[in-house]
């Protein structure tokens, strides 16, 4: 659980970006590391009434109210077991700070833009819209998550 | 703000606000009967300083108007113009116009001369049209007024001490002998009020300048009871080394202070060619003397002193050069030292202190959980710590607090404008102007209060004739008072008008279908009809029939501040609106409750009472709702857990706790919770920014265990509630769909 900012080295090759990869519902995902503020262990969240099921509630992050989103539930994957092994990725999405509850944080990956490929168009999967690209590292397919879409539809839901 | 000019300008406008305030104060004091010279002087000085500053920034509209007003006030000051009520009224209007001009200048809005034309015309009737010499004087003024803080030398003008004019021109030998004019002036200053003007007219071109020679002469104005001999004594050692001329001018003759060029001329005429000096020029002034006199003179020194920084003693002798000129007035209350701080910094401090309070509570809980005995040093130390944090929190909250004075002054303008628009004589009396409230509260109170004041003038008070017929003074009175009462601030707007015409209000409410045609309402209930949305409409009720212009809007605004508003009316005696507000928006007195395993905070001010539910009081209403009977009235029962979606309605509520939630106009609902845990002050944390609006929830807070608890918005909750308190199959289906709609959750 290091602060990801410290792990980021300014890459010489501009086409290479760093991503934080993590496990959600048994699948590999990653997000642009520049959007990640910190990683912390899960704590009991205060339930928000009338909230979508994937909104776990809010927690106290050093005095600010941090909404927690259960990413597995949001991506309609097998729901994460609520235990102490959950990890919260605190991410800055546009002007908001949101905590994403994931199963585990795996690695920090440097992925060249060329290695990213667009996800195939499969209408049966609604979650496809949340994935902006795919890549393969160590024979594992890693999905690049588009956090903006996750939040923007959540925003509408919350309204 | 990188432009230094813009910064100076911004500070000028901040000062303008203060000056306008003191102008208002002064006029109000005169209005209330104060007729001493000092009050007039305060008013004059305020206008004068605004004009001075405006001149420095080339705000011609402002200068022009301020000058006219100043001229008129000068006549008052010189007792050439008596302050009749009409003139005072005009001055009030003028101060409003001046405030408008200041605002326009600040916003950079071009000013429309038409709007102030009538006021200007009125003013000119008093003053006479500005002639040439006056115009010249204005220009003169602009040149000399580089400082924003200038004031006239009121103190010395009124002093009876003799005034001495001293012309001092050192010969070269004076410097050769190691004398220093500065020390002479310092010696003089110890004897009385000294103002030093430096005459640099003899400083030659740079090529001809002999650095070993002095080129400067000084004109000194000395106010002191000392006789000529003792003044000469100060110059004893240099008597032969300089040209010295000491004359006594009549006491008070310095009232019209000679402007700079005059002095220079005078000096050169009287002294002839004088010895020269490259000594740094010195200007002294007694700290007790306003800086106005020497401040404009400072620039003249600069040619001679271009290589040398201004003498230290100049700045040292007046550490705060008339920063708040109006407060230097001897009869005015001695000002408290103040600091202007960026609001963001204060908010940050408030937040941090909120954190400390939370942390402290968390610490207490863990200490308790660790089983440390109550009398152990840790516990006692922690208790002291708790006391300290509470003190810190209170002090920090007070930083944000401001007196309501500025708000009240705005209201006096509303009264003037509203009353003159409808031709009623109205006097606004204010009380408790120094009552302090959170700045945000003050800002957000302005609109509703304006509304209420307008209502009071427009609808509350009768026409002059009607008042006379009713045996009241022609002049109506609106009272605006603020007072601290048990941790809240209570603001009252009271008029001595005819009171609410309840018959008409009833008729109107029935006509609008707000109440059933055959309702029987108590007086209080009728009065409260005014707060109903939709009661007031565009179709204007006649002046005497009552008020109700958007009172629901007013009430909403007050409630959003965590306040309450109530109304009291006495036929023929008038109407009183009371607003009760929390002192701050950052903390809230709340009741900590638990329902369905969740902890919530309910604002204390919305809870009327709490009681235990007994089976006998519960009555089922429709298929899925209950009412509870409380002292013979039936109040709908609301299950908080069910409304917030935490649980299904229970089969049996007996044994639960009911909170009676109400508004000013009566009970709204009985909210069922599981237990009441605590009553405490909580720090409000916004939920809206981080998550969005949640129906029925006002904000969040952090409890002692570090957990977040939601703060309920009971009024919102009740207005949106389903009222479902009985589990029933059909209702459950309906609930499920409604949940779907509200959540829009992706399933």
């Amino acid at each position: 659980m290091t602060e990801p900012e410290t792990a980021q080295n300014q890459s010489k090759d501009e086409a290479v970006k760093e991503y934080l990869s993590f496990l959600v519902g048994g699948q590999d995902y990653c997000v642009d590391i520049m959007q990640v503020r910190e990683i912390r262990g899960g704590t009991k969240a205060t339930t928000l009434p009338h909230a979508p099921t994937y909104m776990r509630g809010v927690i106290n992050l050093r005095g600010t109210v941090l909404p927690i989103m259960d990413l597995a539930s949001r991506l309609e994957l097998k729901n994460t077991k609520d235990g102490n092994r959950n990890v919260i990725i605190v991410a800055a999405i546009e002007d908001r700070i949101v905590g994403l509850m994931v199963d585990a944080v795996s690695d920090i990956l440097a992925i060249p833009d060329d290695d990213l490929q667009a996800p195939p168009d499969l209408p049966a999967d609604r979650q496809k819209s949340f994935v902006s690209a795919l890549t393969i590292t160590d024979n594992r397919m890693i999905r690049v998550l588009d956090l903006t879409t996750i939040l923007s539809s959540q925003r509408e839901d919350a309204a | 703000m990188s432009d230094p000019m813009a910064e100076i300008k911004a500070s000028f406008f901040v000062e303008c606000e203060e000056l306008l305030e003191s102008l208002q104060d002064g006029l109000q004091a005169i209005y209330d009967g104060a007729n001493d010279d000092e009050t007039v002087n305060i008013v004059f000085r305020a206008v004068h300083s605004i004009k001075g500053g405006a001149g420095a920034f080339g705000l011609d509209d402002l200068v022009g108007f301020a000058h006219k007003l100043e001229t008129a006030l000068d006549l008052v000051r010189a007792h050439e113009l008596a302050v009749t009520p009409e003139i005072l009224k005009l001055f009030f209007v003028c101060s409003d116009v001046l405030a408008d001009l200041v605002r326009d200048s600040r916003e950079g809005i071009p000013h429309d001369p038409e709007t102030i034309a009538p006021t200007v015309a009125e003013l000119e009737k008093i003053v006479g049209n500005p002639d040439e010499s006056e115009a010249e004087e204005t220009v003169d003024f602009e040149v000399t007024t580089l400082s924003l803080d200038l004031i006239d030398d009121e103190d010395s003008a009124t002093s009876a001490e003799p005034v001495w004019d001293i012309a001092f021109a050192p010969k070269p030998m004076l410097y050769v002998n190691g004398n220093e004019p500065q020390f002479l002036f310092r010696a003089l200053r110890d004897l009385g009020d000294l103002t030093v003007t430096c005459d640099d007219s003899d400083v030659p071109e740079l090529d001809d300048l002999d650095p070993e020679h002095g080129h400067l002469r000084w004109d000194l104005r000395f106010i002191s009871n000392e006789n000529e001999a003792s003044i000469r004594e100060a110059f004893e050692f240099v008597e032969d080394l300089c040209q010295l001329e000491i004359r006594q001018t009549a006491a008070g003759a310095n009232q019209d202070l000679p402007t700079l060029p005059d002095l220079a001329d005078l000096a050169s005429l009287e002294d002839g060619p004088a010895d020269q000096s490259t000594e740094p020029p010195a200007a002294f002034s007694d700290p007790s003397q306003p800086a106005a006199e020497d401040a404009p003179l400072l620039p003249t020194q600069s040619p001679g002193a271009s290589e040398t920084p201004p003498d230290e003693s100049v700045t040292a002798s007046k550490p705060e050069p008339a920063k708040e000129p109006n407060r230097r007035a001897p009869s005015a209350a001695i000002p408290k030292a103040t600091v202007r701080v960026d609001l963001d910094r204060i908010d940050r401090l408030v937040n941090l202190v909120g954190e400390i309070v939370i942390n402290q509570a968390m610490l207490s809980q863990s200490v308790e959980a660790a089983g440390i005995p109550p009398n152990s040093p840790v516990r006692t130390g922690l208790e002291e710590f708790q006391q300290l944090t509470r003190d810190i929190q209170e002090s920090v909250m007070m930083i944000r607090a401001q007196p309501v004075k500025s708000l009240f002054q705005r209201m006096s303008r509303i009264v003037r404008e509203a009353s003159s628009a409808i031709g009623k004589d109205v006097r606004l009396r204010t009380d408790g102007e120094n009552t302090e409230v959170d700045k945000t509260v003050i800002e957000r109170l302005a609109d509703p209060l304006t509304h209420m004041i307008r209502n009071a003038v427009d609808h509350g008070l009768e026409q002059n004739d009607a008042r006379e017929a009713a045996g009241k003074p022609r002049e109506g009175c609106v009272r605006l008072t603020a007072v601290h009462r048990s941790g809240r601030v209570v603001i009252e707007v009271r008029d001595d008008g005819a009171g609410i015409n309840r018959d008409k209000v009833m008729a109107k409410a029935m006509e609008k279908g707000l109440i059933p045609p055959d309702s029987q309402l108590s007086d209080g209930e009728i009065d409260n009809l005014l707060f109903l949305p939709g009661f007031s409409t565009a179709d204007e009720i006649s002046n005497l029939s009552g008020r109700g212009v958007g009172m629901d809007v007013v009430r909403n605004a007050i409630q959003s501040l965590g306040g309450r508003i109530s109304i009291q009316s006495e036929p023929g005696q008038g109407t009183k609106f009371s607003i009760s507000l929390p002192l701050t928006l950052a903390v809230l007195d709340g009741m900590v409750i638990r329902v369905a395993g969740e902890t919530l905070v309910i604002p204390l001010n919305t809870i009327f009472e709490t009681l235990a539910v007994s089976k006998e009081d519960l009555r089922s209403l429709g298929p899925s709702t209950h009412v509870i009977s409380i002292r013979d009235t039936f109040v709908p029962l609301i299950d908080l857990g069910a409304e917030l979606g935490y649980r299904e309605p229970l089969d049996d509520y007996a044994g639960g706790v009911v909170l009676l939630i109400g508004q000013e106009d009566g009970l709204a609902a009985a909210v069922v919770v599981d237990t009441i845990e605590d009553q405490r002050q909580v720090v409000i944390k916004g939920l809206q920014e981080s998550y969005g609006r949640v129906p029925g929830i006002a904000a969040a807070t952090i409890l002692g265990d570090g957990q977040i608890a939601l703060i309920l918005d009971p009024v919102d909750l009740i207005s949106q509630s389903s009222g479902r308190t009985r589990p029933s199959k059909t209702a459950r289906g309906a609930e499920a769909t409604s949940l779907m709609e509200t959540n829009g959750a992706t399933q």
Side-chain angles (χ1 to χ4, degrees), chain A:
Chain A
M1 311 281 159
T2 47
E3 289 280 321
E5 279 93 335
T6 55
Q8 97 182 38
N9 340 326
Q10 199 57 47
S11 176
K12 291 278 179 289
D13 189 348
E14 281 177 33
V16 176
K17 270 195 196 162
E18 284 187 305
Y19 295 87
L20 178 77
S21 71
F22 49 86
L23 214 59
V24 177
Q27 297 186 349
D28 284 303
Y29 285 86
C30 68
V31 291
D32 185 348
I33 205 157
M34 296 308 287
Q35 288 186 288
V36 178
R37 288 295 177 81
E38 64 178 282
I39 300 165
R40 51 177 293 138
T43 43
K44 185 186 171 295
T46 301
T47 319
L48 288 170
H50 309 298
T53 44
Y54 57 79
M55 286 310 299
R56 272 302 172 90
V58 284
I59 62 161
N60 166 20
L61 178 72
R62 291 187 302 276
T64 55
V65 178
L66 181 75
I68 299 298
M69 185 191 285
D70 184 344
L71 207 53
S73 162
R74 178 62 174 146
L75 299 173
E76 294 163 49
L77 303 171
K78 186 169 59 73
N79 212 330
T80 320
K81 285 207 170 61
D82 197 357
N84 284 339
R85 292 179 60 201
N86 279 328
V87 173
I88 290 168
I89 299 174
V90 181
I93 306 172
E94 289 170 350
D95 53 345
R96 294 217 278 175
I97 307 282
V98 175
L100 305 171
M101 191 185 274
V102 301
D103 294 355
V105 171
S106 327
D107 204 354
I108 290 166
L109 307 171
I111 306 172
D113 280 0
D114 293 346
D115 287 3
L116 297 174
Q117 39 181 291
D121 196 15
L122 295 173
D125 260 346
R126 276 192 57 204
Q127 73 167 81
K128 166 200 68 105
S129 59
F130 300 133
V131 176
S132 65
L134 301 173
T135 188
I136 293 175
T137 310
D138 300 337
N139 280 329
R140 290 189 347 225
M141 186 181 79
I142 297 180
R143 304 146 189 87
V144 180
L145 208 56
D146 183 354
L147 290 179
T148 320
T149 56
I150 284 181
L151 195 65
S152 61
S153 39
Q154 181 253 312
R155 227 175 231 200
E156 285 153 28
D157 293 342

Side-chain angles (χ1 to χ4, degrees), chain B residues 271-323:
Chain B
D271 297 343
D275 297 317
Q276 297 168 342
S277 161
T278 48
E279 280 296 320
F284 300 96
S285 79
D286 192 284
S288 70
Q289 184 149 347
E293 278 187 334
D294 44 18
L297 305 178
L298 280 170
T300 46
Q301 305 167 348
S302 49
S306 47
E307 309 96 333
T308 8
D311 193 292
E312 214 190 327
S313 65
V314 175
T315 38
S317 64
K318 44 183 172 71
E320 188 73 299
K323 194 86 195 166

Side-chain angles (χ1 to χ4, degrees), chain B residues 573-623:
Chain B
Q573 302 296 312
T575 311
K576 180 176 88 177
F577 284 92
S578 306
I579 305 171
S580 148
L581 290 164
L583 289 178
T584 165
L585 298 180
V587 292
L588 172 138
D589 281 317
M591 191 177 275
V592 182
I593 58 104
R594 283 185 75 81
V595 65
E598 298 284 340
T599 309
L600 289 143
V601 178
I602 301 180
L604 213 52
N605 63 341
T606 59
I607 300 173
F608 272 13
E609 61 178 287
T610 62
L611 34 106
V613 183
S614 69
K615 235 187 173 82
E616 301 82 64
D617 295 336
L618 273 179
R619 308 271 196 287
S620 52
L621 200 62

Side-chain angles (χ1 to χ4, degrees), chain B residues 184 229-241 244:
Chain B
L184 301 172
S230 52
I231 297 174
R232 285 211 177 270
E233 209 171 290
F235 291 96
E236 197 176 13
F237 295 107
V238 295
E239 218 166 345
D240 303 328
L241 305 172
L244 188 65

Side-chain angles (χ1 to χ4, degrees), chain B residues 267-531:
Chain B
S268 56
L269 276 175
E270 285 174 5
D271 297 343
D275 297 317
Q276 297 168 342
S277 161
T278 48
E279 280 296 320
F284 300 96
S285 79
D286 192 284
S288 70
Q289 184 149 347
E293 278 187 334
D294 44 18
L297 305 178
L298 280 170
T300 46
Q301 305 167 348
S302 49
S306 47
E307 309 96 333
T308 8
D311 193 292
E312 214 190 327
S313 65
V314 175
T315 38
S317 64
K318 44 183 172 71
E320 188 73 299
K323 194 86 195 166
E324 285 136 331
N326 49 316
R327 306 201 185 159
R328 289 202 164 218
S331 72
I334 292 162
K336 286 180 191 157
T338 54
V339 182
R340 283 201 194 107
V341 186
D342 199 332
L343 204 57
D344 286 348
R345 290 194 193 178
I346 293 178
D347 285 347
R348 197 177 140 63
L349 192 62
V350 170
N351 277 336
L352 283 175
V353 169
E355 293 312 303
I356 293 184
V357 173
I358 290 162
N359 256 307
Q360 183 270 125
M362 286 165 72
L363 200 58
S364 303
Q365 276 196 359
S366 14
V367 165
E368 203 162 331
I372 293 169
N375 286 327
S376 66
V378 176
R379 280 285 192 98
T380 39
L382 205 59
E383 258 161 43
E384 274 167 37
F385 179 46
Q386 191 171 355
Q387 188 60 43
L388 280 176
T389 40
R390 201 163 291 164
D391 287 355
I392 291 179
Q393 192 180 24
E394 264 170 34
S395 322
V396 168
M397 292 305 172
M398 287 317 288
I399 297 181
R400 277 192 61 94
Q402 278 191 334
V404 292
K405 188 171 181 178
S406 59
L407 184 65
F408 278 17
Q409 286 194 338
R410 273 163 80 179
M411 293 311 129
S412 73
R413 173 171 189 177
I414 303 293
V415 168
R416 283 197 298 278
E417 285 176 354
S419 59
S420 71
I422 52 172
K424 292 180 192 171
D425 289 329
V426 183
R427 169 180 278 252
L428 177 74
R429 288 199 171 281
T430 57
D431 207 4
E433 291 180 321
N434 292 321
T435 311
E436 292 195 331
V437 193
D438 188 281
K439 189 176 160 60
T440 321
V441 177
I442 290 184
E443 279 161 10
R444 289 171 56 185
L445 203 55
D447 280 348
L449 207 55
T450 303
H451 221 119
M452 290 164 68
I453 293 279
R454 281 221 183 97
N455 271 353
V457 174
D458 200 6
H459 305 298
L461 294 172
E462 317 91 321
Q463 291 291 351
N464 290 349
D465 296 341
R467 286 182 67 87
E468 253 180 358
K472 297 185 196 178
R474 273 183 82 83
E475 189 181 55
C477 181
V478 177
R479 292 186 74 90
L480 185 57
T481 56
V483 67
H484 277 166
R485 205 172 284 160
S486 58
R488 292 173 77 86
V489 64
V490 179
I491 294 177
E492 285 182 0
V493 178
R494 192 186 315 180
D495 64 58
D496 63 347
I500 291 172
N501 187 331
R502 298 200 170 102
D503 293 344
K504 290 211 175 173
V505 169
M506 276 284 272
K508 180 142 183 105
M510 286 176 190
E511 175 198 318
K512 294 204 173 289
L514 297 170
I515 49 170
D518 52 354
S519 340
Q520 292 295 319
L521 298 180
S522 69
D523 286 354
E525 283 169 328
I526 296 172
D527 294 347
N528 277 306
L529 289 175
L530 298 180
F531 292 120

Side-chain angles (χ1 to χ4, degrees), chain B residues 244-255:
Chain B
L244 188 65
E245 216 174 283
I246 300 175
R247 287 184 296 124
Q248 183 178 0
T249 23
N254 58 338
Q255 188 154 10

Side-chain angles (χ1 to χ4, degrees), chain B residues 37-38 41 153-161 252:
Chain B
D37 289 352
E38 193 41 52
N41 277 335
D153 178 21
E154 303 306 335
D155 299 351
S156 57
T158 47
S159 79
E161 290 181 341

